[in-house]
Each structure stands twice: as C-alpha cells, then as structure tokens.
DNA sequence: CTGAAAGCGCTAACAT
DNA sequence: ATGTTAGCGCTTTCAG
C-alpha cells in the first residue's frame, strides 16, 4: 500500500485538493467546520502526511539545513551539535552533518550537493574554512552563518558568530597572578593557526596588565594533542627557573602536562598550577580536576542555528552582508589544579 | 539572478528539455554529438545544476539517508559516523544526523519528519532503540539497517549489523590467564542493559573455559562512566583477597580504575592488570596505556551504510525480512596495563 | 467558503 | 535522434 496523497484525502473527504491543503496549512480563509472535520477524519483514516518533497518544489523551502564541521571526533563539536539540533528540532528542521576532515575539496563537494538539494541554510564551523565555501553558498543564495572566521568582502546572506577568548583568558591570568605566582609559562597550539596565536597573545596581554615582563615568559609550542603537553613540560622543567604556573592552549595538552608532572614527581597544584582551555568533560573528571577556560559550546550551537533561522526568515530584499555579528564569551572555571605557589 | 532551470538550458541550447535531461542523465539512447556539445555548453555557460527536489518528486529518490544515534558525545559514535559518511559521500548521498538523546519520542519525531522528507534509508544505532522506530520506518517502506538490536517479527526492508564481543573478550580472558593471574574481577556497566550483561557473561565464560570457578569472581556494577571505575575499585580492594586482574566493561570505567589505583598506591600493571573495552583514543594516550577490547568502529559505520545501499538498490519485490545479518568482530589490543601478577 | 486550473523543475513514455 | 505530452504531489491564484 502506497503512501496516500492529497488527492486520496480529497476524494475520501469529498472535497477538492485545495480545500485539504487549506485545512492542513491553517490558511487564513475560513473553512466551514463540517468541512474541516471531514478532511481531518480522512487524513486520520488514511494516515496521510504531506510529502515534503512536493511541498518544497513549490514553496522553495526544504526545512533542512547543513552543519559543516572539521571532524566530529574533535571534542569541541558534540555539544555544539546538540545546541544546533535542539533549536533546529524545535523549528521543524533537520540537519545534514558534514565532516570536512580538514579538506576543503570535500567541504566544497558537500556544499554543492546540498545546494542542489536546496537546503534552506548552512552553518560553517570547519577550521578548513575558506571564503570559497561562503561564496559558493552565496552564489546559490543560501543563508549562511559562519563561526570564528573573518570574512573577506562577500556579498551574501551571512551572519557570523565569534568567540571572545579575552574574557576567559584574562580571568585565567588574573587568577594566577592573584594567587601570587611570578613565574609563568604558556604551552601553545601550532602557532601557524590563528586561534593558537590569539590564545597566546591574550594570555600574555593579561599578564602584562599586571606589570609582568612578558618577554621573559616562555612559550613552548605543542600541537594541541595530549603528548604535546608532556613534551612541553619537559622543556619547561629543564629551565634554570621553571614556571610555577602554566596556561595551556587547550585541555588535551593540559592533561598531558598533568600526567607528565605526576611521573616526574611534580605535584599539582602544590608545585605547579595549571589551567587549560576548552573545559572538555574530562577536565572535571581527572584528579586533580583541571581548571579551564570554558567555551559555551551548547550556546554556540543554539545561537548559530538561531541566527540562521533569522536569516532564513528575512525577506530577500533587506539583506546586507554580514547581517549580524554575535559574540559569545568564555569564562574561567576554577578547579583543583591551581593554588598559591609553594616557596 | 535565479538559479537556471532545465528550461533555460534547453532554450539556450535550442533543444527540448527532454534532450537536456537525456544528455545529463547519460540516457541509453544515442544523441548527436553536436547536440550534446551545445547542451553541455549551455549548461556550463549558465552554471546549471539540476534541482534534486524536482528530480526527487518524479524519481522517488532523495539521495539522503538518516543516521540515528543516542548522543554524538558518546565516544563510540564519531568514528562510526566517519565510516557512514565516507561510503555515503562516495555514493552521492548526504546524511541527516539525529541525536535521540536516549529519548524514544525524540527518535520518533525524527523518523516521522524524515519519512515525510522521503529519505531513501535509515540507520538505527541508538541504544534507546525500539521496534516502534523500525515499524514506523517499515510502514513508510524505508529501507533500514539496525545495529546490535534483536528485532521482533517485523515485516520490513531491514538488515542488521551485530557486534561479536566474543572474539575480543575471550582473547582478553585468555591473555590474563596466560599471564598467570588467578584472582579476577569484572566491573560491569548497568546490568539492566543487555550489552552490559553480554560483556560480563562473555568474560566469565572465557574464564570458565580455563577451569576457573566463576562464581567466585566478583562483579561490581559501575555505570559506564569514569567515576564508576574508582568506586568499583574501592569495593574490590576492600575484599579479603583482592583481584590481580580486572576486566572493565568499558574504557571510561577502566580509566577511572587506572587513576584511582594510582591514588591508592596500587601500581598498574605490577600490582594489578587492567583491560578495558572500546579502545577509545585516550586508551592509547594515558600512562600506562590501557589494554582494551577494540570495536571496529569505522567498519561498523561503513558496513552499515553499505548494507543500506544494497537495500536501497534492491527491487521492492524480492525483499524479505531481515535481508541480511552481518557480524563484525572485536579484538584485543594489548598495551602497558597488563603483566604477570606480582607474588 | 470552496473548486478548477496552472505550475514548481524534472523525467519518462510516446510520437515522429 | 529529438520533440511533445503528461504527470510526480503539492500550493496558489482566480473564479464562483
């Protein structure tokens, strides 16, 4: 038995297709109650549900959006995805998830395929971002929201979401200084990444605000992965006067530091204070638990999807570029890994 | 400038829409070379790409599938998603990702919405599975592949993928016995979950095969989360003769055990051998690295999507239920966390 | 208040 | 080898 169509419903209810459509879409024109009843009964009896495909062909709306990310395995994304999905679901949207795997071509392939499917909007959160993707979307008139990417001059229906690392990282620097530390260090991500540089610079600026000579603060480059932390710690402990407080560019490296410290007999937080960034779930679960600069991941997702909905709802005419730029703040979560310096 | 339609291409090339369609779809009927040329030129000049929506309305195919999972944040899924996506992409499919959040109603909402969108197939990997979801899909004639779920009698186009824990868990038991251990313990997941019971029973059976009296092997119930491991370890160490080897129902609890052991001065692997299950990325990165029973996650994803493609390609007539049942094997990955028992 | 008719962009007979 | 015609399932004028 095939899925019933609107014609089946119309016939069974003894009305025209238009009437069925009107009833189902809560059209403004009044409909006699008796008629409405008959239609509803037919709908129920047949288990009728309108085909989104047919509907899309005329309405130009698919109730589908796409979320492009680098890699679901990156612990940053899952919660973001939930944020996106929660508001999408509430507004009757489904979301195509696409992993670019840090590959621009793959991202482009997704974008084209999805443009052909006439998605109503796209969210770009891949670090392999590029203006090209945004351009392709713009060419197809697809509303787009971009995370943490500074757009070139692009004519398109696009909003942006930026992460303000300043608030959280400043708080981290303040916290360490307030505890009485004097010798700091930073373990950074790969410095060819803009985000790694931003984190470093913001931390150093935070220290400088307290009159600390940041030229003397060692920055050792990790690669954002766990073992990077251990290697970095080794380098730092080899110095003449090792730091008593470390800010790590992300939590993974901070965990590496945490574990390496234990193996070398360096106690945390007694001998060494440590703060990470990301506030991954594990940060709260390890022992000692790890202080971290937290990103509002769920909010990033929900905000992004909300902005996208705004864009989609917006009349094609009054669209500028970028339509909106939202900023989300980071904050410091203090846990067991920091303390005043031992003497 | 609106997206061009097939009519625009036809006009520009001076041919009929059918001809354009034929050229683009590699129809079997021959087409004069000159004509094909003109069409191709018009396509290129206009930047024409067919609308999947319009195409779907007639072809009854959307080139979209859905993947229902419990929660992307669960470390089991990311790699599975990659597996799914890789074969989907290769076959020109896009995938809707849906997090049921362990909520059957939410899962049902997704299924209905997606059925309305006429997805070509669905993959169910949510532990909040239920025959209801499969039934709803079947009612809509949507091919479905289910992971690790024993179906009731359901008339539908469905295949299944099962995980064979036996191979890997047996190997774990063998390994521990071979090392010379005599006192074992198991830290299980919540025993109301079938999968937790399977893991326990398989491990005990593995020990029994070596003549060990499994009634004396303590099983303490964790809840599959990190802190469950620490709590379980505490209980086990309180016993008169604590175990020298523990098999944990998953890696997260094993990590909890690893860390709790260190705090209590129990050395791993010298005093205690430990094996987890899942082989999450962290297992290889902690110190000592954690032995684990590995699931072929990527393969689970790619196999599932492949089976789905088979189902989709299958003529509606020769469909039985279930069409195919595939089994993937697990295997033991030995690392630093096991050793012969100290005396 | 409701029906008839046209059309969204495409494919697939059926002609020629 | 290509054009004509008729839908796919729905919404939306336009009549009545």
């Amino acid at each position: 038995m095939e899925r019933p169509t609107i014609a089946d419903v119309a016939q069974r209810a003894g009305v025209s297709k238009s009437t069925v459509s009107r009833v189902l879409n809560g059209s403004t024109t009044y409909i006699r109650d008796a008629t409405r009843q008959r239609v509803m009964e037919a709908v129920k009896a047949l288990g009728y549900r309108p085909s989104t495909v047919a509907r899309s062909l005329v309405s130009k709306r698919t109730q589908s959006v796409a979320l492009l990310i680098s890699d679901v395995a990156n612990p940053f994304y899952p919660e973001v995805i939930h944020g996106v999905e929660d508001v999408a679901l509430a507004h009757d949207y489904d979301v195509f998830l696409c992993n670019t795997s840090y590959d621009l071509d793959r991202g482009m392939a997704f974008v084209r395929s999805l443009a052909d499917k006439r998605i109503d909007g796209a969210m770009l959160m891949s670090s392999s971002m590029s203006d090209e993707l945004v351009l392709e979307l713009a060419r197809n008139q697809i509303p787009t929201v971009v995370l943490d990417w500074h757009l070139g001059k692009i004519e398109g229906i696009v909003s942006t979401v930026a992460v303000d690392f300043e608030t959280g990282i400043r708080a981290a620097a303040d916290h360490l200084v307030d505890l009485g530390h004097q010798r700091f260090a930073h373990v950074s991500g790969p410095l060819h990444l803009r985000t790694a540089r931003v984190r470093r610079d913001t931390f150093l600026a935070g220290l400088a605000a307290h009159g600390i000579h940041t030229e003397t603060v060692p920055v050792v480059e990790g690669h954002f992965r766990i073992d990077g932390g251990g290697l970095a710690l080794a380098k730092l402990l080899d110095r003449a006067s090792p730091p008593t407080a470390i800010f790590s560019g992300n939590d993974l490296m901070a965990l590496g530091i945490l574990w390496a410290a234990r193996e070398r007999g360096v106690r945390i937080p007694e001998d060494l204070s440590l703060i990470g960034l990301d506030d991954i779930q594990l940060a709260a679960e390890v022992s000692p638990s790890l202080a971290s600069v937290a990103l509002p991941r769920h909010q990033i997702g929900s905000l992004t999807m909300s902005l996208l909905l705004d864009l989609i709802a917006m009349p094609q005419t009054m669209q500028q570029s970028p339509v909106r730029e939202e900023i989300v703040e980071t904050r410091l979560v203090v846990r067991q890994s920091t303390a005043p310096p031992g003497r």
Side-chain angles (χ1 to χ4, degrees), chain A:
Chain A
M1 191 186 106
E2 295 288 301
R3 253 184 97 127
T5 76
I6 196 172
D8 299 324
V9 178
Q11 182 171 32
R12 172 147 187 155
V15 299
S16 71
K17 293 189 293 174
S18 334
T19 301
V20 177
S21 177
R22 288 194 187 94
V23 171
L24 264 38
N25 297 312
S27 122
T28 41
T29 64
Y30 265 22
I31 292 174
R32 205 190 310 160
D33 248 17
T35 317
R36 180 186 304 279
Q37 292 288 351
R38 293 219 312 290
V39 171
M40 293 309 250
E41 274 163 25
V43 165
K44 176 161 287 182
L46 296 172
Y48 170 75
R49 313 201 89 223
S51 155
T52 309
V53 174
R55 194 173 260 186
S56 296
L57 187 57
V58 16
S59 73
K60 304 318 191 194
R61 282 249 193 293
T62 52
Q63 298 296 117
S64 301
V65 294
L67 173 59
L68 265 79
I69 64 179
S70 303
D71 177 5
V72 256
N74 182 322
F76 170 73
Y77 292 110
E79 226 182 317
V80 175
I81 294 175
H82 277 121
V84 167
E85 190 179 270
D86 287 346
V87 359
L89 193 60
H91 293 262
D92 212 21
Y93 272 84
D94 291 297
V95 4
F96 283 110
L97 184 76
C98 310
N99 291 278
T100 65
S101 301
Y102 304 95
D103 176 350
L104 185 58
D105 290 339
R106 184 164 165 141
M108 206 50 158
F110 277 124
V111 165
R112 282 202 239 274
S113 171
L114 294 164
D116 293 347
K117 290 197 171 132
R118 301 294 190 272
I119 51 170
D120 293 345
M123 290 162 282
L124 265 32
M125 300 191 179
S126 171
S127 49
S128 61
M129 260 294 298
S130 149
D131 285 0
E132 283 186 60
L133 293 183
V134 187
L135 265 171
E136 182 68 21
L137 258 355
R139 186 174 306 137
N140 286 283
Q141 323 236 57
I142 296 177
T144 304
V145 180
V146 178
L147 175 65
D148 232 0
W149 176 259
H150 212 73
L151 288 175
K153 295 242 169 321
I154 289 185
E155 299 280 322
I157 312 162
V158 24
S159 292
T160 64
V161 172
V163 176
D164 171 27
F165 286 103
E166 182 111 11
T167 42
I169 294 181
R170 279 285 180 134
D174 292 349
H175 176 65
L176 294 175
V177 170
D178 290 349
L179 285 172
H181 289 275
Q182 317 234 29
R183 298 202 307 281
F184 306 87
H186 174 56
V187 176
S188 78
L191 289 171
H192 64 87
L193 292 183
R194 192 180 59 84
T195 185
R197 293 195 302 274
V198 168
R199 293 169 196 199
R200 174 198 60 189
D201 297 342
T202 309
F203 179 62
L204 294 180
L207 294 180
H210 289 279
I212 288 155
H213 297 289
T214 54
E215 318 79 55
T216 70
V217 174
V219 172
V220 359
E221 196 171 340
H223 43 272
F224 273 155
R225 298 219 337 256
I226 289 184
D227 43 340
L231 299 173
L233 180 67
K235 284 190 195 160
L236 291 171
L237 293 182
D238 281 350
R239 314 190 108 237
S241 66
T244 61
I246 296 180
F247 170 60
S248 166
N250 76 357
D251 282 352
L252 252 24
M253 293 190 302
L255 290 177
I257 293 171
L258 203 64
W259 296 334
R262 175 146 42 198
E263 286 183 356
R264 303 184 55 133
V266 174
R267 295 166 307 161
I268 292 182
E270 295 81 357
D271 305 327
L272 181 66
S273 284
L274 181 62
I275 299 181
L277 185 151
D278 273 347
D279 192 26
I280 62 177
Q281 212 186 334
L282 218 48
E285 293 171 332
V286 293
S287 171
S289 57
L290 176 69
S292 187
V293 173
L295 280 63
R297 286 190 287 268
H298 191 278
Q299 188 201 339
I300 288 175
S302 56
L303 175 61
T304 301
M305 184 67 205
S306 298
L307 288 180
L308 188 57
L309 288 175
D310 291 348
L311 249 32
I312 292 174
M314 195 165 287
Q316 294 280 350
T317 54
M318 52 159 296
Q319 282 165 354
Q320 303 180 7
S321 162
V323 178
R324 261 170 79 187
E325 296 183 344
E326 290 284 337
I327 295 176
V328 298
E329 302 208 324
T330 53
R331 65 178 223 289
L332 176 67
V333 179
V334 176
R335 296 209 178 84
Q336 300 166 344
S337 63
T338 62
R343 324 141 300 94

